[in-house]
């Protein structure tokens, strides 16, 4: 908008009062990405291009036999199962800036766009992976009859989500810990991934002492969501959301990083001249793959806000 003037007077903007393009851009806020905290990247160094495949071998289970003196031994040829980590998915971005626009601005637009694209692709990756984990979690680690041994732990199911509030959220966390215990999952390195509204309920819950949070001071005093029942708590706005008969629901995830592996690589970032106009193109490609390797190391709760 030009400087205001009396009707009928000439336009002076750009002559006496020139336009100035600011070199400062407004910051953006990005959703936190947590995939690297809840999964392993053991095979990331083994991929290079989209379409690559990593064959992952699992430890075989040996048969145990009762022994009697003088008996003939039965021999087993151990053969562990294999899983495939297929790098068959990818995201890209491509942006063009015309020469004439670039000359009018002293902002390094290309680099700024590249930084933004990298953040946006991480968000896309988290959203895609977090939304695809649950079907591969062990059946006894989810649903209304969870528990490999007990079989009576209700973690919520389709049509009957757990209505969470500040009075029962700690109970659900403890039950998810029990589900992992019944699978003999190691206690170290456990994580719990919650939407922010559930973390708010957790802070409002009956956390009576600091030891439950694994902190030297109460979580209600220092505001930190720390450790509860061996779980390190993480927040995410990228957990899958559903509409279950008009009820907004989501899955919360827990386990160890041995359950899920993913591999990703920004394989291509390039700048080139545009063919159809005078300008530069910058584009990037990120390929990735993920696989639930050990479904017994993960558990899921199906919840809604009560």
């Amino acid at each position: 908008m030009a400087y205001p003037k009396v009707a009928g007077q000439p336009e002076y903007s750009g002559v006496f009062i020139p336009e100035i393009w600011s070199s400062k851009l407004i910051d953006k806020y990005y959703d936190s990405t947590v995939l690297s905290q809840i999964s392993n990247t053991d095979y990331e160094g083994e991929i290079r291009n989209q379409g690559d495949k990593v064959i992952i071998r699992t430890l075989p289970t040996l048969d145990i036999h009762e022994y009697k003196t003088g008996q003939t031994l039965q021999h087993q040829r151990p053969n562990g199962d294999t899983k495939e980590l297929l790098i068959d998915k990818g995201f890209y971005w491509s942006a063009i800036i015309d020469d004439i626009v670039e000359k009018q601005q002293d902002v390094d637009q290309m680099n700024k766009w590249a930084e933004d694209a990298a953040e946006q692709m991480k968000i896309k990756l988290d959203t895609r992976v977090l939304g695809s984990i649950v079907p591969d979690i062990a059946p006894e680690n989810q649903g209304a009859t969870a528990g490999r041994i007990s079989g009576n732990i209700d973690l919520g199911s389709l049509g009957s989500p757990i209505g969470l509030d500040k009075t029962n959220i700690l109970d659900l966390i403890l039950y998810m810990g029990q589900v992992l215990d019944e699978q003999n999952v190691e206690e170290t390195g456990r994580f719990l991934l919650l939407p922010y509204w559930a973390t708010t309920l957790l802070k409002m819950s009956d956390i009576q002492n600091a030891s439950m949070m694994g902190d030297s001071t109460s979580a209600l005093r220092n505001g930190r969501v720390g450790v509860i029942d061996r779980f390190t708590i993480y927040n995410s706005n990228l957990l899958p959301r559903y509409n279950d008969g008009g009820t907004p629901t989501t899955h919360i995830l827990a386990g160890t990083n041995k359950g899920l592996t993913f591999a990703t690589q920004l394989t291509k970032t390039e700048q080139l001249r545009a063919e159809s106009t005078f300008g530069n193109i910058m584009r990037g490609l990120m390929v990735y793959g993920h696989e639930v390797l050990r479904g017994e190391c993960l558990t899921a709760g199906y919840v809604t806000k009560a």
Side-chain angles (χ1 to χ4, degrees):
M1 176 180 175
Y3 191 84
K5 61 183 178 63
V6 177
Q9 295 298 308
E11 178 65 70
Y12 292 116
S13 181
V15 181
F16 298 109
I17 309 176
E19 289 182 344
I20 298 175
W21 286 78
S22 174
S23 61
K24 301 175 182 178
L25 294 177
I26 297 176
D27 288 337
K28 293 178 66 175
Y29 295 103
Y30 300 98
D31 285 324
S32 298
T33 53
V34 298
L35 203 53
S36 60
Q37 279 78 45
I38 69 170
S39 62
N40 70 74
T41 56
D42 295 345
Y43 311 98
E44 192 164 68
E46 301 182 38
I47 71 164
R48 289 296 179 269
N49 296 295
Q50 187 170 0
D52 284 0
K53 180 168 62 176
V54 180
I55 307 298
I56 303 171
R57 292 167 291 185
T58 61
L59 193 66
T61 300
L62 297 183
D63 297 333
I64 305 301
H65 306 278
E66 185 176 354
Y67 176 74
K68 295 180 180 179
T69 303
Q71 77 174 70
T72 300
L73 301 183
Q74 301 179 39
H75 302 292
Q76 175 188 2
R77 287 184 170 86
N79 185 20
D81 295 332
T82 62
K83 291 201 173 186
E84 296 182 354
L85 175 59
L86 187 61
I87 312 305
D88 61 346
K89 306 174 185 68
F91 297 117
Y92 82 93
W93 64 276
S94 182
I96 185 171
I97 183 168
D98 294 317
D99 290 343
I100 189 170
V101 174
E102 189 173 26
K103 292 298 183 183
Q104 291 175 347
Q105 303 182 44
D106 56 0
V107 181
D108 188 357
Q109 296 243 38
M110 287 296 199
N111 286 336
K112 295 294 184 180
W113 288 350
E115 293 171 4
D116 178 70
E119 291 293 334
Q120 298 290 355
M121 285 200 291
K122 287 192 292 183
I123 292 170
K124 283 280 189 182
L125 176 61
D126 270 42
T127 302
R128 182 70 58 83
V129 174
L130 293 177
S132 64
I133 293 174
V134 173
D136 293 321
I137 294 177
E140 56 268 29
N141 286 17
Q142 56 180 308
T145 56
R148 182 178 68 94
I149 298 173
S150 58
N152 61 1
I153 300 173
D154 187 4
L155 298 182
S157 57
L158 184 64
S160 184
I162 301 295
L164 284 186
D165 57 33
K166 65 180 181 179
T167 68
N168 66 358
I169 188 169
L170 281 175
D171 293 342
L172 181 64
I173 293 173
L174 295 177
Y175 281 134
M176 295 180 80
Q178 179 184 338
V179 166
L180 295 177
D181 291 338
E182 292 188 11
Q183 290 282 17
N184 299 310
V185 175
E186 60 270 21
E187 297 185 6
T188 58
R190 291 188 181 185
F191 71 84
L192 175 64
L193 187 56
L194 299 174
Y196 279 89
W197 62 262
T199 304
T200 299
L201 294 177
L202 187 58
K203 293 176 181 178
M204 297 168 61
S205 68
D206 190 20
I207 302 176
Q208 296 294 336
N209 57 71
S211 63
M212 290 191 68
M213 299 298 294
D215 250 333
S216 59
T217 57
S218 170
L220 298 181
R221 290 201 301 272
N222 64 19
R224 176 180 178 270
V225 179
V227 177
I228 296 180
D229 188 36
R230 302 157 292 172
F231 289 116
T232 299
I233 311 297
Y234 294 98
N235 292 307
S236 178
N237 283 324
L238 305 176
L239 284 162
R241 295 191 291 268
Y242 317 97
N243 186 323
D244 190 344
T247 300
T249 58
T250 188
H251 273 115
I252 63 176
L253 303 172
T256 76
N257 68 0
K258 290 185 178 180
L260 173 70
T261 188
F262 89 100
T264 181
Q265 187 172 358
L266 189 63
T267 57
K268 301 286 185 183
T269 302
E270 56 190 15
Q271 185 171 333
L272 61 155
R273 290 293 293 174
E275 294 182 359
S276 58
T277 187
F278 294 102
N280 290 319
I281 295 174
M282 178 174 278
R283 60 192 184 187
L285 170 66
M286 180 186 70
V287 300
Y288 72 96
H290 67 279
E291 186 72 29
V292 174
L293 296 180
R294 298 178 59 187
E296 71 275 13
C297 291
L298 299 170
T299 180
Y302 186 61
V303 301
T304 187
K305 186 175 181 181

